[in-house]
């Protein structure tokens, strides 16, 4: 009898271990070998430098799009920075709709948040300045830190190659 | 990305290249924006090149635009109206964001900042406390809601709740400062804001530009307005209440009332404070007519101040000096004793005091014999000191105006140096004041200095700090003329185009006259001809509703003279035809000049056409022209007939 209880405990404890569970996969499948890569196509798709090089080229042929110190040893807040970055990128994409020529680069220096963007000369300069003032003010109040936008304009999206 | 990177890199490299090139070798004449950037294949640097390059980054960059704007060629303004447009649109974007932040404050409440940053939190625009109480009144006073505060006060009185004297005094301050009406809504974008002071401490500082202040002051002090009514309701008004009322009256030009209120104060055996006395001294020149009466009133006030043991402050000194301006010659004799007495009380004069002093001594239109010394003495006092803005009349513009009126370039340089000392950049004021300052500086430079110094300042300040107006460009052209450097005219024309002054009639006509006056050497004449053709394009129908200039006889003849001197007969011929289309009459010397040119080229047809044109205008010159053509040209039969017909015509018409 003692052996039966013991066996039952062993079986149930093993049944409760993580290897025996099957959970529901809630998100879509995000394969890491398909992320941030534009696949080669017919040759009519224009692609910028940033888009042409794949993530394993970061640090070799590409730079980083987001620069902060949270990933250093002993620093915290990395997750919050990521969430802020995602929000800022969506905000910039929506506010300057159709004007962004390339990905937004976000730099943090101390308290200051610098958003560097390359824009197409689609709007009049006065409209650009309106949106810049609006973005800086809104994001400063939202994140409680000074936000600065450094903008550069190009006439058209700079094409690196056609895929 | 690579090409935009390399573009940006090239621009960056070129900027540093040019910085080093400035020191290592000079081969550009550069007027702003039009530098030819050439990247050499190999370069050798001197030993101090790096240090010199680093040193050039420390001071202001003359090639960059204002710090508020983005550093991109598409986003850099080229004219002063563009600059204003861009900075104002940025401000309005900020206001739009503020509207959203204040309307939906719940999204902006999460506080990440340690320590807490209060200016980044949403503001409450509506009064929170609803019930009729003293705290609600205090809240509305803080929010500067004048009418709401007055209503609430009346409600409190009717309800019988006693309102403390302090709060009532604050309410009186509010009403007297804003003149019994709500302050204008701050929808107008604030420019670079000056120091803002609390209402209770300094209700007399006038905020905003001169235009805004005069808008506020247009509302004069009304009879039996709320301030007086509430004051009358007070059972025991104290010094503060009287002070608020008197200062409000003086601000809104009810001067005699202010003085009668003051006598009430004295009758109630109360003491006045220093701000009240300042207000009364400001009001004194308006109340009396004669110079000595005014001065006696001021002296009486000062004596009473001493009796009541109220210490004067800087604003007292400035008020006295300002009042002395209206006292004529008496002012001149009394100004210096006043200053020395104040200095004895350890009140240092500010820039405003010096401004008033100069205004006392330099009357417009009076000859300045023996008075130039004062400006110099003032500059001696003032140089090297750092001033903080304490008085609304502090402003470095007026000092420069004095230098301009007395044509004193030495002192002007000292004034400009003063701007670089410490905090004095604040004294330059807002954009409008800044423009006025630089306009005066440039006109003085054009008048007094030779062209090289002038161009050095021009390259330094334009367009990073100042966008010159068309008047300044005309002054510059005159300076070029005086110094005989007319060869620089085409470059100045390029700058004029970029500044957006290319369609100003007087400026362009001045330019043309200068070019046409004398014949220059070959290459200069060529550049003049290019410039003249460019100017001609400006006269043609402009697009997008720009101001179109109209041709005058002088401008047409000037262009033709310039083109003829550069041997461009074809272009000159086309312009000659414009005389007819625009109904202008050519002068005889022009036609003579043209004829001489035609003689050189030997075009007989042109000669005949020229005679026909002049006959078409019925010029008295025509017979002589006809004779000259007949003598000096080989004419065909047909042409001889034409000429003889014309001769008969003109003979008949005489």
């Amino acid at each position: 009898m003692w052996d039966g209880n013991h066996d039952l405990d062993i079986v149930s404890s093993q049944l409760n271990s993580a290897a025996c569970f099957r959970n529901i996969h809630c998100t879509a499948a995000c394969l890491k070998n398909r992320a941030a890569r534009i696949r080669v196509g017919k040759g009519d798709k224009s692609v910028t430098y940033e888009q042409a090089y794949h993530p394993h080229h970061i640090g070799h042929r590409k730079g980083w799009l987001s620069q902060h110190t949270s990933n250093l040893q002993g620093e915290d807040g990395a997750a919050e920075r990521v969430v802020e970055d995602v929000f800022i990128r969506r905000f910039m994409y929506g506010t300057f709709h159709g004007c962004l020529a390339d990905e937004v680069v976000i730099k943090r220096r101390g308290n200051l948040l610098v958003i560097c963007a390359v824009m197409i000369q689609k709007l009049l300069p006065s409209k650009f300045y309106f949106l810049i003032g609006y973005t800086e003010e809104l994001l400063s109040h939202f994140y409680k830190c000074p936000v600065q936008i450094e903008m550069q304009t190009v006439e058209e999206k700079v094409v690196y190659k056609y895929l | 990305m690579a090409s935009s990177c390399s573009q940006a890199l090239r621009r960056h490299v070129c900027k540093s290249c040019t910085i080093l090139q400035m020191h290592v070798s000079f081969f550009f004449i550069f007027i702003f924006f039009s530098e030819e950037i050439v990247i050499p294949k190999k370069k050798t640097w001197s030993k101090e090149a790096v240090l010199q390059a680093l040193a050039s980054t420390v001071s202001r960059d003359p090639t960059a635009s204002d710090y508020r704007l983005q550093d991109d060629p598409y986003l850099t303004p080229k004219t002063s109206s563009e600059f204003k447009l861009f900075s104002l649109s940025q401000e309005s974007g900020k206001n739009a964001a503020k509207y959203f932040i204040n309307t939906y404050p719940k999204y902006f409440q999460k506080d990440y900042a340690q320590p807490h940053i209060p200016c980044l939190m949403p503001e409450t625009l509506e009064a929170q406390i609803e019930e009729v109480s003293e705290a609600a009144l205090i809240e509305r006073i803080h929010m500067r809601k004048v009418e709401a505060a007055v209503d609430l006060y009346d409600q409190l009185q009717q309800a019988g709740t006693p309102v403390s004297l302090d709060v009532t005094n604050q309410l009186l301050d509010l009403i007297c400062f804003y003149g019994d009406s709500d302050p204008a809504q701050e929808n107008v974008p604030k420019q670079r804001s000056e120091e803002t002071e609390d209402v209770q401490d300094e209700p007399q500082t006038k905020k905003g530009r001169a235009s805004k202040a005069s808008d506020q002051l247009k509302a004069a002090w009304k009879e039996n307005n709320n301030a007086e009514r509430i004051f009358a309701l007070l059972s025991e008004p104290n010094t503060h209440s009287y002070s608020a009322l008197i200062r409000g009256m003086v601000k809104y030009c009810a001067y005699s009332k202010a003085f009668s209120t003051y006598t009430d104060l004295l009758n109630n055996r109360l003491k006045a404070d220093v701000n009240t006395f300042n207000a009364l001294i400001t009001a004194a020149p308006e109340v009396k007519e004669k110079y000595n009466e005014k001065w006696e009133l001021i002296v009486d006030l000062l004596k009473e101040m001493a009796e009541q043991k109220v210490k004067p402050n800087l604003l007292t000194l400035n008020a006295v000096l300002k009042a002395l301006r209206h006292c004529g010659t008496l002012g001149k004799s009394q100004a210096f004793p006043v200053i020395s007495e104040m200095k004895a009380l350890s009140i240092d004069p500010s820039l405003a005091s010096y401004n008033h002093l100069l205004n006392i001594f330099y009357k417009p239109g009076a000859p300045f014999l023996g008075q130039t010394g004062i400006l110099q003495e003032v500059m001696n006092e003032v140089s090297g000191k750092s001033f903080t803005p304490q008085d609304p009349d502090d402003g470095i513009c007026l000092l420069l105006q004095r230098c301009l009126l007395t044509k004193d370039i030495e002192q002007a340089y000292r004034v400009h140096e003063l701007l670089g000392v410490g905090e004095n950049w604040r004294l330059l004021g807002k954009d409008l004041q800044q423009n006025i300052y630089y306009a005066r500086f440039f006109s003085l430079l054009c008048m007094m200095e030779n062209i090289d110094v002038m161009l050095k300042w021009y390259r330094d300040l334009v367009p990073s700090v100042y966008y010159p107006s068309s008047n300044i460009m005309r002054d510059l052209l005159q300076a070029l003329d005086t110094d005989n450097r007319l060869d620089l005219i085409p470059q100045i024309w390029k700058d004029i185009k970029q500044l957006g002054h290319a369609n100003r009639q007087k400026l362009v006509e001045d330019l043309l006259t200068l070019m046409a006056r004398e014949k220059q050497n070959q290459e200069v004449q060529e550049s003049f001809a290019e410039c003249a053709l460019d100017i001609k394009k400006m006269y043609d129908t402009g697009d997008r509703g720009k101001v179109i200039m109209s041709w005058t006889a002088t401008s047409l003849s000037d262009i033709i003279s310039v083109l003829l001197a550069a041997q461009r007969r074809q272009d000159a011929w086309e312009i000659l035809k414009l005389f007819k289309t625009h109904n202008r009459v050519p002068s005889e010397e022009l036609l003579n000049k043209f004829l001489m040119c035609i003689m050189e080229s030997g075009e007989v047809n042109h000669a005949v056409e020229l005679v026909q044109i002049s006959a078409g205008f019925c010029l008295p010159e025509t017979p002589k022209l006809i004779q000259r053509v007949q003598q000096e040209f080989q004419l065909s039969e047909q042409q001889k007939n034409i000429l003889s017909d014309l001769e008969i015509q003109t003979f008949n018409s005489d």
Side-chain angles (χ1 to χ4, degrees):
Chain A
M1 222 158 73
W2 176 82
D3 275 340
N5 271 344
H6 180 63
D7 285 334
L8 208 58
D9 284 337
I10 292 172
V11 169
S12 61
S13 71
Q14 278 177 343
L15 275 174
N16 282 336
S17 75
C20 295
F21 281 117
R22 292 193 70 180
N23 297 318
I24 302 173
H25 196 191
C26 312
T27 64
C30 308
L31 299 171
K32 64 176 172 31
N33 50 1
R34 299 209 57 108
R37 281 159 221 264
I38 297 190
R39 303 275 156 175
V40 173
K42 281 213 177 61
D44 55 349
K45 195 166 38 180
S46 66
V47 138
T48 64
Y49 187 92
E50 186 68 39
Q51 291 164 335
Y53 284 103
H54 297 163
H56 60 267
H57 289 126
I58 293 178
H60 302 271
R61 300 185 200 178
K62 285 205 308 189
W64 279 266
L65 287 179
S66 170
Q67 296 173 3
H68 54 85
T69 57
S70 318
N71 287 328
L72 297 175
Q73 163 89 358
E75 299 288 338
D76 54 357
E80 285 90 356
R81 302 293 93 77
V82 170
V83 172
E84 285 171 17
D85 282 358
V86 171
F87 179 82
I88 291 172
R89 284 177 209 286
R90 284 182 191 230
F91 188 86
M92 293 296 285
Y93 182 72
T95 315
F96 294 90
H97 196 79
C99 296
L100 277 176
D102 209 341
E103 295 285 335
V104 171
V105 172
I106 301 178
K107 304 181 187 178
R108 287 178 176 77
R109 290 176 206 145
N111 196 13
L112 180 64
L113 186 63
V114 183
I115 302 175
C116 310
V118 183
M119 300 278 172
I120 306 173
Q121 292 169 3
K122 196 172 148 186
L123 300 173
L124 287 176
S126 52
K127 296 202 203 282
F128 269 124
Y129 277 111
F130 179 87
L131 291 175
I132 288 172
Y134 166 78
T135 313
E136 285 185 350
E137 191 73 13
L138 201 80
L139 289 179
S140 305
H141 282 254
F142 194 59
Y143 285 123
K144 310 294 178 219
C145 63
V147 172
Q148 205 178 52
I149 292 193
E150 290 183 4
M151 187 178 283
Q152 185 194 344
T153 55
V154 285
E155 287 184 21
E156 298 172 340
K157 225 172 183 175
V158 183
V159 175
Y160 180 66
K161 61 184 182 183
Y162 289 91
L163 289 179
Chain B
M1 188 69 169
S3 48
S4 72
C5 262
S6 65
Q7 263 175 32
L9 193 63
R10 189 171 294 156
R11 244 175 267 152
H12 212 65
V13 163
C14 294
K15 250 199 183 140
S16 50
C17 262
T18 46
I19 291 170
L20 289 171
Q21 273 166 359
M22 263 158 61
H23 296 285
V24 177
S25 61
F26 333 92
F27 42 90
F28 311 130
I29 302 174
F30 58 121
I31 311 272
F32 62 100
F33 284 167
S34 58
E35 292 178 29
E36 269 303 315
I37 300 181
V38 175
I39 305 179
K41 283 214 165 51
K42 191 172 170 67
K43 202 113 186 90
T44 49
W45 308 114
S46 74
K47 290 213 176 97
E48 301 92 34
V50 175
L51 287 176
Q52 281 168 342
L54 285 175
S56 71
T57 60
V58 171
S59 54
R60 190 181 65 81
D61 180 9
T63 57
S65 63
D66 197 59
Y67 71 92
R68 287 174 278 184
L69 305 174
Q70 299 287 327
D71 187 16
D72 182 67
Y74 182 68
L75 297 175
T76 315
K78 306 226 174 24
T79 71
S80 67
S81 48
E82 271 186 24
F83 172 74
K84 213 169 152 187
L85 178 66
F86 294 170
S87 37
L88 285 181
S89 30
Q90 192 162 8
E91 282 298 326
S92 67
K94 291 199 164 111
N95 286 340
K98 279 210 179 78
Y99 168 75
F100 281 114
I101 295 164
N102 293 332
T103 324
Y104 303 101
K106 63 180 176 182
Y107 300 114
F108 297 91
Q109 298 289 2
K110 186 159 181 200
D111 195 7
Y112 300 97
Q114 288 163 357
H116 178 68
I117 305 176
C119 71
L120 289 179
M121 300 300 286
E123 294 169 0
T124 40
L125 291 175
E126 297 299 325
Q128 304 287 54
I129 311 176
E130 286 302 324
E131 76 266 354
V132 178
S133 73
E134 203 165 303
L137 182 59
I138 294 178
E139 197 192 1
R140 278 166 184 72
I141 293 175
H142 274 296
M143 290 184 152
R144 312 285 186 256
K145 291 184 187 294
V146 180
E147 302 193 354
V150 172
D151 286 336
L152 196 62
Y153 183 80
D154 290 333
Q155 285 177 1
L156 279 172
Q157 288 290 63
Q158 280 172 353
T161 338
V163 186
S164 71
L165 191 58
D166 273 342
V167 178
T168 324
N169 281 341
Q170 287 181 18
L171 181 63
L172 275 177
D173 275 337
L174 183 72
I175 301 175
C176 293
F177 182 70
Y178 286 112
D180 209 13
S181 54
D182 268 323
Q185 278 308 310
E186 298 269 346
N187 282 330
V188 181
K190 280 180 280 204
Q191 269 113 15
R192 221 175 16 213
S193 59
E194 308 151 345
E195 69 295 348
T196 45
E197 287 152 315
D198 204 11
V199 169
Q200 276 114 350
D201 293 342
E202 296 278 333
Q204 263 198 327
T205 50
K206 297 188 187 90
K207 293 187 193 163
R209 280 201 223 157
S211 57
K212 266 199 209 159
S214 60
D215 287 340
Q216 281 180 331
L217 291 179
K218 267 188 222 156
W221 188 258
K222 296 188 272 276
E223 288 286 330
N224 295 329
N225 63 5
N226 287 324
E228 292 183 7
R229 184 170 58 86
I230 295 177
F231 185 77
L233 287 174
L234 277 177
S235 53
E236 292 178 356
N238 70 350
T239 309
H240 196 135
S241 345
Y242 272 106
S243 158
L245 198 61
I246 291 178
R247 290 163 85 184
M249 284 174 177
V250 171
K251 182 174 177 182
Y252 290 97
C253 311
Y255 301 115
S256 32
K257 270 203 183 176
F259 274 99
S260 41
T261 321
Y262 178 63
T263 26
D264 281 342
L265 175 133
L266 288 178
N267 287 341
N268 286 348
R269 274 184 274 274
L270 286 173
K271 286 193 185 175
D273 64 350
V274 65
N275 295 321
T276 323
F277 277 112
N278 290 344
L280 288 171
I281 293 175
T282 322
E286 313 286 341
V287 176
K288 300 280 183 196
E289 289 295 326
K290 289 206 191 136
Y291 291 157
N292 45 0
E293 283 178 22
K294 292 182 194 179
W295 178 241
E296 279 166 18
L297 184 53
I298 296 177
V299 170
D300 286 337
L301 282 170
L302 289 170
K303 282 195 191 136
E304 280 172 37
M305 223 164 130
E307 271 174 50
Q308 297 186 15
K309 304 233 186 338
V310 176
K311 252 185 114 20
N313 64 4
L314 173 65
L315 295 173
T316 322
L317 169 63
N318 287 344
V320 173
L321 285 175
K322 200 168 180 184
L324 279 176
R325 280 167 66 176
H326 299 282
C327 287
T329 43
L330 199 60
K332 288 187 198 167
S333 51
Q334 296 296 336
F336 283 116
V338 166
I339 296 186
S340 11
E341 275 194 40
M342 292 290 179
K343 274 202 184 154
L345 288 166
S346 64
I347 298 175
D348 282 322
S350 75
L351 264 194
S353 345
Y354 291 116
N355 280 336
H356 294 314
L357 196 63
L358 288 171
N359 270 327
I360 293 174
F361 279 93
Y362 289 93
K363 284 287 181 238
F368 0 94
L369 312 157
Q371 283 165 354
T372 44
I374 299 217
L375 183 58
Q376 207 161 2
E377 281 179 37
V378 166
M379 286 314 300
N380 287 341
E381 280 284 325
V382 159
S383 331
K385 281 199 208 155
S386 176
F387 290 95
T388 46
Q390 284 157 333
D391 185 297
D393 285 326
D394 269 340
I396 210 160
C397 241
L398 291 165
L399 269 182
L400 197 66
Q401 188 189 23
R402 195 52 57 195
C403 295
L404 177 63
L405 291 174
T406 53
K407 299 199 184 5
D408 197 339
I409 190 76
E410 290 296 323
Q411 306 306 324
Y413 281 139
R414 289 173 84 179
V415 172
H416 197 69
E417 266 172 59
L418 187 61
L419 266 188
V421 176
E423 297 274 304
N424 290 351
W425 58 268
R426 292 181 203 272
L427 296 171
L428 201 51
K430 290 188 178 157
D431 294 326
L432 182 67
Q433 291 289 321
Q434 214 176 2
N435 274 344
I436 296 176
Y437 175 84
Y438 282 111
R440 288 178 182 158
F441 191 57
F442 268 105
S443 22
L444 193 56
L445 277 177
C446 286
M447 264 198 284
M448 305 295 295
E449 285 284 355
N450 70 351
I451 195 63
D452 293 320
V453 175
M454 171 70 214
L455 280 179
K456 181 180 81 78
W457 279 107
Y458 182 78
R459 279 180 217 126
D460 193 35
L461 292 175
V462 172
S464 49
V465 172
Y466 174 58
Y467 298 92
S469 62
S470 58
N471 290 333
I472 301 294
M473 296 313 284
R474 287 177 67 198
D475 286 344
L476 181 60
L477 286 176
Q478 269 186 334
L480 283 180
D481 189 18
T482 331
D483 269 335
N484 225 1
R485 289 296 304 277
L486 293 176
D487 51 319
L488 290 174
I489 285 187
Q491 287 167 340
I492 302 291
W493 167 247
K494 266 197 246 162
D495 292 348
I496 291 177
K497 261 203 303 189
Q498 202 161 46
L499 286 170
H501 295 315
N503 52 6
R504 305 252 185 232
Q505 184 120 3
K506 277 195 89 56
L507 179 59
V508 174
E509 285 178 10
D510 278 352
L511 195 71
L512 285 173
T513 327
L514 274 181
M515 281 203 294
R517 227 177 31 191
E518 301 153 352
K519 193 168 161 77
Q520 312 282 342
N521 65 1
Q522 188 57 32
E523 26 176 88
V524 179
Q525 200 62 46
E526 272 301 311
S527 57
F528 277 11
E530 293 294 324
C531 194
L533 285 174
D534 206 20
I535 294 178
K536 170 172 172 284
K537 280 191 221 137
M538 288 292 142
Y539 272 95
D540 293 335
T541 46
D543 50 346
R544 286 188 277 133
K546 273 193 173 163
V547 173
I548 307 170
M549 302 187 286
S550 51
W551 287 108
T552 63
T554 30
S555 53
L556 281 170
S557 5
D558 286 334
I559 291 194
I560 294 180
S561 328
V562 172
L563 288 171
L564 285 178
Q567 317 293 335
R568 304 243 189 145
R569 274 174 227 107
Q570 192 52 40
D571 299 318
W573 191 249
E574 286 174 20
I575 299 187
L576 194 61
K577 299 209 183 100
L578 283 178
F579 270 108
K580 191 76 186 185
T581 42
H582 290 269
N583 290 331
R584 301 273 181 259
V585 179
S587 64
E588 63 177 73
E589 47 179 289
L590 181 69
L591 291 174
N592 280 332
K593 228 189 272 183
F594 218 113
L595 193 59
M596 279 202 299
C597 266
I598 297 179
M599 281 197 295
E600 284 169 29
S601 72
E603 290 263 333
V604 189
N605 291 331
H606 279 178
V608 177
E609 279 185 49
L610 187 70
V611 179
Q612 280 175 324
I613 289 175
S614 100
F617 282 112
C618 299
L619 290 176
E621 207 15 42
T622 322
K624 285 185 228 155
L625 277 178
I626 295 175
Q627 274 181 346
R628 279 180 72 181
V629 172
Q630 281 171 335
Q631 280 167 358
E632 288 162 31
F633 281 92
Q634 294 282 37
L635 296 167
S636 69
E637 267 309 310
Q638 197 189 14
Q639 287 164 339
K640 282 196 194 146
N641 288 338
I642 297 173
L643 281 179
S644 44
D645 282 340
L646 284 174
E647 211 169 349
I648 299 170
Q649 256 184 355
T650 52
F651 192 69
N652 284 342
S653 65
D654 272 341

